Amino acid sequence: MRFLGFFPAFIFVSLLILSRGVVADEVTIDDIEITINRFTNPLAQQSANVQVITNEQIRESAAKNVPQLLSSELGLFTTFDFYGNGTKSAAMDLRGFGAVADENTLILVDGRRVKNNDLSSIQWSAIPLDSIERIEVLRGSGGVLYGGGATAGAINIVTRSPEPGDDSAKIISQAGSFGTRSLATSLTLTGDSSGLYVYAQRYNSDNYRENNEERESIFDGEYRMYVGPGEYAIKFGLNREDLRLPGALGIKPSTSLNETEPDRRATQNPGDYSILDGNYVTLLADYNVSQNTDFVAEIGYRERKSTGFLYSNYASSNYSNFIVTDTRVFHLSPRVKHLSKAFGKENELILGADLYDWDLYKTDTITPWGTTLSQLTMLDQRNVGVYVKDTIQISDKFLVTGGYRYENQKIDASDKDITSSSQDQNMSAYDFGGKYDLSDTVTFRASISKAFRTANADEVGFSSEYDTSWNRVFQFLRPQVSHTHEIGLDITDGNIYLKTALFQIDTKDEIRLENLTSGVGNTNYPFTQRRGIELRGGLDLSTWSLAANYAYTQAKFLTGYLEGQSGYISNIDLTDKTIPMVPRHRFSINAGKKFNDSFRLDSTWSYFSEQFMDNDESNSLGRQIPGFSVLDVKASMKCGDYSLALSVNNVLDREYYSYAVRSQTSGNDKFNVYPHAGLAAFLTLEYAFDLNR
């Protein structure tokens, strides 16, 4: 697949040729406002590597949910969990972290963390596309402003808020393949000094696989007040997801076992399921202290209860696991921004603090080999961090920024049968960067940063690790520390743009699950490294648009050693081995054609190269997850207050899977796969109207 390396240059040259002599709409990047730095600022004033998916791009996309959108619009690779639920439980991988991508790419909704303090995935179903205003993607930074888990970067999903003068309502109905049907409605009411926005949705689908039925209910809202120089808001939401889990299908070439044939939609786990119930409330105050000083404070509470049942028949013995997890988190985040002159130059100073208090309760009822065991485990974690970030406009062309964060974490973990264990540790992060305008159209960027992440509740032995007496084993790990170096060149010339980035991430004590050996399994790997190049190019004309994303990522273990055990993989030297679940090449093209004011056609083609399977750190299985490509198309038309759209996913009906896991036992060539859906079509009807008419 070496020829893929020439795609970016080909696309860029093609865009340059096509743009000559064509009347086009100017790229208005300077007008885009973002909040990824925890205050509202123009995108053009950021020295960091930031990309924005606008509301228009979201509406034009054929994606059904946020993971599909990020995969198609940004070329991000989405890794999936062990249950085969597709993008509903996807992990976003910005820069090649594979199976631990979820713990190294920070997901935010309106600037607040939404990932639980365990190995559970983001509840993407609670973030419907229709409620999103824009998505801000920050690559290679974020540790200073947000703390742990932003090693590869951060993705901030900004939801809709009531805007003054926007009194409107909307009803959206959808039906399509696999028995999918959905009904959603939103309402915006505003006055001279306040506004209310509410969104509700009911979604049902049988999904592609057997035993994969899905039922979702969502209710979100925001009430915002404008009082003098301040804005005050309360955000709230309730959601419930009832999902059947189809599980894996096994393949073992040596015995001709292939459970994907004759029916890749089949399940070997007809009784597995999960139920998620969540709610949250956040209070926000944004007060303009003076012309140059802005103060923001957030206080919030979130609760999520997860119930899951997993069954397997291992060695002809019934084995089941019933898990109930209750997570509660309280957070407080005050911060202030001050504009001033420093050495005669424009200066922006941000000071802030974060307090997160997690309480997690997990009950496991396990039936191994005819014996029923019930375990109750509790974890209390408190993180307190303070940070400072300063941006100086040295000249009209030169901007520099620097920041530092100090954070303390305390963990108390206990099992009902053993004495509790605890850990107290301090971490720090920094970033320094700048951008220089080489000309009116070319900008050079460079940055260095340090980020950290700590082991979550599952990774300290909170999930399924036991001693010989079936008591929990708590294994506290060292904090993971990563250093990122990045340079980039941005070119914007009227209707055409090209953004490039070269990066290297060096990580010490990377936290990973050591699946190849038995026992506790959680460990700190000595040294890992990611290197890569990212290119994004686009052309926006008056009647059509074209954008392309390409990423080359090399992820490997620099050093490391796995100790094998009897019946498992033998001792393995990991030096220079490729990290699993990281496609070396990622490529996507988005094309749109506007035929008139009422009708347009959009398409996305995405390609991901082959990758080593999860649990194949030794790279010795002899086969990989095959490379695959997917084409999605959407046709949309508008007539007055009505909009109609037809989305077709996987137009070419490709049979593929993006996640597979290797068997642990020695000499076993078996692996498990999780097939994705084939051709699927969805029809959406929307009725939107202005209440002031």
Side-chain angles (χ1 to χ4, degrees):
M1 307 308 294
R2 295 180 182 274
F3 69 91
L4 287 174
F6 297 100
F7 276 13
F10 172 76
I11 291 296
F12 182 50
V13 172
S14 300
L15 295 178
L16 283 174
I17 295 173
L18 290 171
S19 66
R20 299 307 179 189
V22 182
V23 178
D25 297 329
E26 293 290 317
V27 176
T28 56
I29 189 172
D30 293 350
D31 298 331
I32 299 177
E33 297 277 330
I34 64 171
T35 56
I36 195 69
N37 69 345
R38 310 193 77 166
F39 286 91
T40 302
N41 287 94
L43 176 59
Q45 293 182 8
Q46 305 300 310
S47 64
N49 185 351
V50 180
Q51 185 177 2
V52 176
I53 302 177
T54 65
N55 179 258
E56 183 179 9
Q57 289 173 291
I58 295 173
R59 290 185 59 84
E60 293 170 357
S61 172
K64 290 181 59 185
N65 47 55
V66 175
Q68 283 185 356
L69 177 74
L70 294 174
S71 178
S72 62
E73 291 292 331
L74 305 182
L76 293 190
F77 182 65
T78 55
T79 61
F80 303 90
D81 72 350
F82 294 99
Y83 304 140
N85 301 315
T87 51
K88 290 297 181 181
S89 51
M92 297 294 99
D93 195 351
L94 273 177
R95 285 183 165 173
F97 279 85
V100 292
D102 225 11
E103 309 303 318
N104 288 278
T105 299
L106 184 61
I107 306 298
L108 308 161
V109 174
D110 297 323
R112 60 179 174 83
R113 291 171 176 265
V114 292
K115 177 76 168 62
N116 279 344
N117 187 32
D118 55 23
L119 287 176
S120 63
S121 60
I122 301 293
Q123 190 177 351
W124 295 108
S125 61
I127 316 172
L129 290 177
D130 295 315
S131 68
I132 298 174
E133 179 61 32
R134 66 181 181 276
I135 300 178
E136 305 164 351
V137 181
L138 173 64
R139 288 178 168 86
S141 185
V144 168
L145 291 177
Y146 293 102
T151 307
I155 299 174
N156 184 34
I157 301 169
V158 182
T159 60
R160 295 179 183 274
S161 292
E163 298 293 336
D166 180 18
D167 294 311
S168 61
K170 183 185 298 184
I171 300 173
I172 306 171
S173 178
Q174 184 183 82
S177 301
F178 319 129
T180 300
R181 59 269 189 208
S182 172
L183 181 63
T185 183
S186 65
L187 175 67
T188 303
L189 298 173
T190 62
D192 294 336
S193 60
S194 63
L196 173 68
Y197 172 79
V198 293
Y199 177 90
Q201 182 185 28
R202 176 65 180 178
Y203 177 90
N204 297 276
S205 181
D206 296 331
N207 285 324
Y208 178 68
R209 300 274 307 278
E210 293 181 10
N211 189 48
N212 200 194
E213 295 86 357
E214 181 179 0
R215 308 288 181 266
E216 298 172 9
S217 299
I218 302 168
F219 179 76
D220 285 300
E222 177 182 339
Y223 179 70
R224 185 173 291 266
M225 296 185 299
Y226 306 89
V227 181
E231 294 184 26
Y232 308 90
I234 176 172
K235 295 176 177 284
F236 51 88
L238 302 167
N239 56 80
R240 179 181 177 86
E241 178 187 79
D242 189 339
L243 184 66
R244 307 291 297 185
L245 308 175
L249 296 176
I251 298 176
K252 190 175 183 179
S254 62
T255 62
S256 300
L257 172 69
N258 190 343
E259 293 176 344
T260 67
E261 296 178 353
D263 185 8
R264 66 194 305 270
R265 302 176 65 170
T267 180
Q268 302 296 318
N269 305 80
D272 291 2
Y273 68 87
S274 73
I275 299 174
L276 300 175
D277 288 289
N279 61 78
Y280 73 92
V281 60
T282 302
L283 302 176
L284 170 70
D286 186 342
Y287 187 77
N288 188 231
V289 179
S290 67
Q291 183 178 358
N292 297 321
T293 305
D294 194 19
F295 173 78
V296 175
E298 291 176 347
I299 182 172
Y301 175 82
R302 178 165 57 89
E303 183 174 1
R304 178 172 127 159
K305 184 176 181 179
S306 170
T307 303
F309 176 80
L310 305 176
Y311 172 81
S312 65
N313 192 327
Y314 178 70
S316 300
S317 298
N318 292 332
Y319 188 101
S320 65
N321 192 5
F322 183 76
I323 308 169
V324 179
T325 306
D326 194 350
T327 303
R328 303 166 190 173
V329 57
F330 167 84
H331 79 271
L332 174 65
S333 300
R335 52 193 181 271
V336 62
K337 179 178 74 173
H338 181 67
L339 304 177
S340 63
K341 295 283 187 178
F343 308 105
K345 307 298 181 181
E346 296 293 335
N347 183 76
E348 179 187 271
L349 178 66
I350 296 176
L351 298 171
D354 293 308
L355 166 66
Y356 278 86
D357 193 340
W358 302 83
D359 290 311
L360 195 150
Y361 305 87
K362 177 174 286 188
T363 302
D364 285 9
T365 303
I366 305 169
T367 307
W369 300 280
T371 302
T372 299
L373 301 169
S374 183
Q375 296 286 337
L376 171 63
T377 326
M378 295 160 285
L379 180 138
D380 178 73
Q381 176 179 314
R382 175 171 294 186
N383 289 66
V384 179
V386 293
Y387 59 90
V388 56
K389 187 167 187 178
D390 194 54
T391 302
I392 303 176
Q393 189 73 49
I394 300 296
S395 68
D396 293 340
K397 296 183 176 181
F398 188 30
L399 180 146
V400 296
T401 183
Y404 180 81
R405 183 184 187 95
Y406 172 84
E407 187 163 318
N408 173 261
Q409 176 179 280
K410 294 181 179 180
I411 301 176
D412 292 308
S414 63
D415 184 281
K416 69 173 184 178
D417 296 323
I418 63 174
T419 305
S420 62
S421 302
S422 62
Q423 182 185 52
D424 191 333
Q425 55 189 350
N426 300 318
M427 295 79 63
S428 64
Y430 65 75
D431 64 52
F432 297 97
K435 70 169 188 174
Y436 184 80
D437 295 331
L438 299 174
S439 67
D440 292 338
T441 59
V442 181
T443 298
F444 174 76
R445 292 181 290 101
S447 66
I448 59 172
S449 64
K450 173 189 175 185
F452 65 87
R453 99 163 177 95
T454 58
N456 60 40
D458 287 327
E459 290 169 322
V460 299
F462 200 66
S463 178
S464 59
E465 290 79 32
Y466 301 89
D467 60 20
T468 56
S469 300
W470 288 96
N471 292 318
R472 294 288 187 187
V473 175
F474 297 106
Q475 182 185 19
F476 292 108
L477 303 177
R478 297 182 299 275
Q480 168 186 310
V481 178
S482 299
H483 293 86
T484 300
H485 306 265
E486 180 175 337
I487 59 173
L489 201 66
D490 299 346
I491 303 173
T492 304
D493 186 5
N495 57 307
I496 188 171
Y497 69 90
L498 175 69
K499 295 180 178 293
T500 67
L502 290 169
F503 70 88
Q504 178 171 310
I505 305 175
D506 297 309
T507 302
K508 180 181 179 181
D509 291 327
E510 180 168 328
I511 300 170
R512 299 181 67 88
L513 181 64
E514 192 174 290
N515 283 325
L516 285 174
T517 58
S518 62
V520 173
N522 301 304
T523 189
N524 289 108
Y525 281 73
F527 294 98
T528 58
Q529 185 182 84
R530 280 91 179 164
R531 290 178 173 177
I533 179 172
E534 298 166 338
L535 300 100
R536 307 195 301 271
L539 177 66
D540 191 5
L541 305 178
S542 56
T543 59
W544 62 275
S545 61
L546 180 67
N549 296 275
Y550 171 78
Y552 171 86
T553 306
Q554 181 190 73
K556 63 180 181 178
F557 300 99
L558 294 183
T559 59
Y561 191 79
L562 293 180
E563 295 184 7
Q565 296 187 17
S566 177
Y568 290 81
I569 302 298
S570 58
N571 297 343
I572 298 170
D573 182 2
L574 294 181
T575 303
D576 287 330
K577 293 292 192 297
T578 297
I579 294 175
M581 298 302 303
V582 180
R584 186 155 291 194
H585 300 278
R586 308 194 312 261
F587 186 61
S588 67
I589 299 177
N590 300 279
K593 170 64 176 178
K594 182 180 179 182
F595 293 90
N596 51 52
D597 292 339
S598 301
F599 181 73
R600 67 173 293 125
L601 184 66
D602 295 277
S603 63
T604 299
W605 178 79
S606 301
Y607 170 82
F608 302 92
S609 65
E610 64 276 0
Q611 56 197 288
F612 287 100
M613 298 181 188
D614 197 6
N615 206 22
D616 189 20
E617 282 83 355
S618 62
N619 302 167
S620 60
L621 179 61
R623 63 178 61 214
Q624 301 182 42
I625 298 174
F628 61 90
S629 63
V630 179
L631 175 64
D632 298 329
V633 176
K634 181 178 182 178
S636 55
M637 61 180 299
K638 184 175 178 61
C639 182
D641 294 335
Y642 291 91
S643 298
L644 183 66
L646 175 63
S647 301
V648 182
N649 299 130
N650 195 359
V651 173
L652 303 178
D653 199 22
R654 301 292 193 192
E655 293 186 356
Y656 72 102
Y657 53 90
S658 64
Y659 181 81
V661 57
R662 178 187 183 180
S663 173
Q664 284 183 247
T665 54
S666 179
N668 194 342
D669 62 343
K670 182 181 178 181
F671 56 94
N672 294 322
V673 303
Y674 302 79
H676 284 294
L679 175 69
F682 304 92
L683 188 65
T684 304
L685 175 63
E686 177 182 313
Y687 176 51
F689 53 96
D690 189 340
L691 297 176
N692 292 322
R693 287 189 309 189

